[in-house]
Amino acid sequence: MKSPFSRRRFLKQAALGGSAVLAAPWLALRGQNPPARKLGVALVGLGNYSNGQLGPALRGTQHCRLAGVVTGSPEKGRKWAADYGFPESSVYGYETMARLSDNQDIDIVYVVTPNGLHAEHAIAAAKAGKHVIVEKPMANTVAECDAILAACKAAGVRHAVGYRLHHEPHHLELQRFAKEKTFGVFKRMSGQHSFRLGPRNGVKPWRAIHALSGGGPLMDVGIYVIQAACLVKLEEWPVAVTAHEEPKVRPEFFVDVEETLHFTLEFADGAVLEAVTSYERGGNAFRAEGDKGWVELQPAFGYRGITGNSSAGPVTFPAIIHQAAQMDDFAQCIMTGRETPVPGEMGRRDMVIIEAVYEAMRTGRRVEVARR
């Protein structure tokens, strides 16, 4: 079988305006001119992800730019203003987010605080009249997701979840394979996303504190495996889940969150995902099998270095900056009226699934997933 994917096909799609190319260098290949005005983005929370990924990505975006920050440290905010060239008047505290409504340079607010604060900060942004991106997971509970969606609807603003891999070419290719049945209908899936979490400078990270994280590795990295499975099932919901937690290696550290979790998603057509996520060991892979072949990504979920293979040959695409593609796409959605591929409703769906997985873990029972 001839390989159905290649760098050449990727670049051809770029020239033709294919959906697999979504950030600055490849948007240029689509024949698009830079917009007259880039939309302004304010980052809420200046932790590792903002520092290491979102801030640098915004230096290379074509349709948006960093226009402000919300932080608990005025000193840190002033440094960001100097580094990124926006005025110090666009530095806000969490308690002054309502004043964002007065800043016409800020169009989008990207919430990057711990999960347990997402709802509070997303709702504040919506009430200030700003479009909202919430980093994954959307919130700690389905009820909090509902509150975010209601606030955005009431304010008439757009919303999205920070699902960067919906803009990454290897994952878009998985979706194409599913739509075109290149390997048949995917019926068997497996995935893992794990790393070893420990103290930072002697302090327990917020990811290991239930009030802030909402759970353990399932909320943090296991959600990527759920996303991949739903993507290759063309955003179909699973109908039931089962789950079990491994005995904890470090129970004194993981007091109120899981350490290693195995879970299974069942789909209406008989497809099954077997997954594991852990804060005790490494793992980063996804595989889907149909009656005509298989495809896998390993590593599958990192910021860079994603590698694909299949029964038909390698799955090869040029590397992109996921976060730049993601933010540029949301900016384009706002400017054109197009729907985002990663709306808040998708984040809510994933929390419905996650809540079912946790119920299955606690009870040892098979739990049906209600589309509620």
Side-chain angles (χ1 to χ4, degrees):
M1 182 189 296
K2 184 178 179 181
S3 174
F5 22 74
S6 67
R7 178 186 178 90
R8 178 177 295 177
R9 191 178 69 76
F10 176 86
L11 294 174
K12 182 178 179 181
Q13 280 189 331
L16 294 175
S19 63
V21 252
L22 294 167
W26 32 97
L27 279 171
L29 292 174
R30 300 171 84 175
Q32 297 179 6
N33 294 320
R37 173 183 174 265
K38 292 184 176 184
L39 298 189
V41 176
L43 298 178
V44 182
L46 302 181
N48 290 337
Y49 194 56
S50 287
N51 270 291
Q53 307 301 326
L54 296 177
L58 281 160
R59 294 189 186 277
T61 44
Q62 191 172 36
H63 294 283
C64 53
R65 62 185 178 86
L66 186 60
V69 295
V70 179
T71 176
S73 168
E75 180 181 357
K76 186 184 293 186
R78 287 191 292 271
K79 185 177 186 305
W80 275 68
D83 288 348
Y84 284 88
F86 59 84
E88 290 187 8
S89 59
S90 292
V91 176
Y92 299 87
Y94 298 114
E95 72 287 352
T96 61
M97 285 186 65
R99 288 170 39 206
L100 286 165
S101 62
D102 300 324
N103 193 330
Q104 300 305 305
D105 286 337
I106 294 174
D107 305 281
I108 300 166
V109 168
Y110 195 147
V111 177
V112 206
T113 46
N115 308 343
L117 302 174
H118 284 183
E120 174 187 344
H121 296 148
I123 291 168
K127 288 182 175 179
K130 306 304 179 183
H131 304 290
V132 180
I133 306 174
V134 184
E135 186 48 39
K136 62 80 193 164
M138 185 174 174
N140 272 4
T141 65
V142 175
E144 289 179 349
C145 293
D146 287 338
I148 294 171
L149 291 172
C152 290
K153 181 178 180 180
V157 299
R158 306 289 293 273
H159 49 76
V161 183
Y163 287 140
R164 58 187 170 80
L165 293 177
H166 273 259
H167 308 280
E168 193 278 327
H170 294 85
H171 288 79
L172 290 172
E173 192 76 332
L174 291 184
Q175 191 175 59
R176 184 181 73 84
F177 294 156
K179 288 178 179 177
E180 299 180 5
K181 298 182 173 60
T182 307
F183 300 104
V185 177
F186 289 125
K187 288 294 187 73
R188 296 173 300 279
M189 296 171 285
S190 60
Q192 55 180 308
H193 199 188
S194 307
F195 68 97
R196 194 175 193 280
L197 180 70
R200 292 182 63 88
N201 301 318
V203 177
K204 181 183 286 192
W206 65 262
R207 286 178 171 81
I209 301 170
H210 191 276
L212 291 175
S213 65
L218 178 61
M219 293 285 283
D220 185 17
V221 290
I223 192 171
Y224 283 112
V225 185
I226 293 173
Q227 274 273 299
C230 290
L231 185 146
V232 302
K233 296 308 294 179
L234 303 179
E235 306 307 340
E236 179 184 340
W237 287 52
V239 296
V241 304
T242 54
H244 71 273
E245 183 183 7
E246 287 187 13
K248 291 177 179 176
V249 176
R250 292 177 287 156
E252 74 287 348
F253 189 77
F254 298 104
V255 175
D256 58 359
V257 301
E258 77 278 5
E259 183 180 63
T260 299
L261 176 65
H262 297 254
F263 63 95
T264 301
L265 304 187
E266 304 171 20
F267 292 83
D269 66 354
V272 173
L273 166 75
E274 298 287 351
V276 62
T277 185
S278 177
Y279 274 158
E280 180 54 30
R281 56 181 181 263
N284 192 328
F286 182 79
R287 180 181 175 98
E289 302 176 16
D291 57 4
K292 297 180 183 178
W294 55 268
V295 60
E296 64 182 9
L297 302 179
Q298 188 172 0
F301 305 115
Y303 300 147
R304 58 190 64 83
I306 292 174
T307 301
N309 202 1
S310 79
S311 53
V315 182
T316 303
F317 290 104
I320 72 166
I321 300 171
H322 303 174
Q323 295 81 3
Q326 168 202 330
M327 290 185 285
D328 262 340
D329 186 69
F330 188 56
Q332 285 184 287
C333 289
I334 293 167
M335 292 186 288
T336 66
R338 172 171 59 84
E339 293 299 318
T340 173
V342 289
E345 288 84 1
M346 179 181 285
R348 182 189 186 280
R349 176 204 67 188
D350 292 348
M351 278 310 306
V352 171
I353 297 168
I354 286 171
E355 287 189 355
V357 171
Y358 279 138
E359 182 182 349
M361 181 189 79
R362 288 191 302 269
T363 64
R365 298 196 307 264
R366 178 179 179 270
V367 175
E368 293 186 356
V369 179
R371 293 192 62 160
R372 53 188 172 89

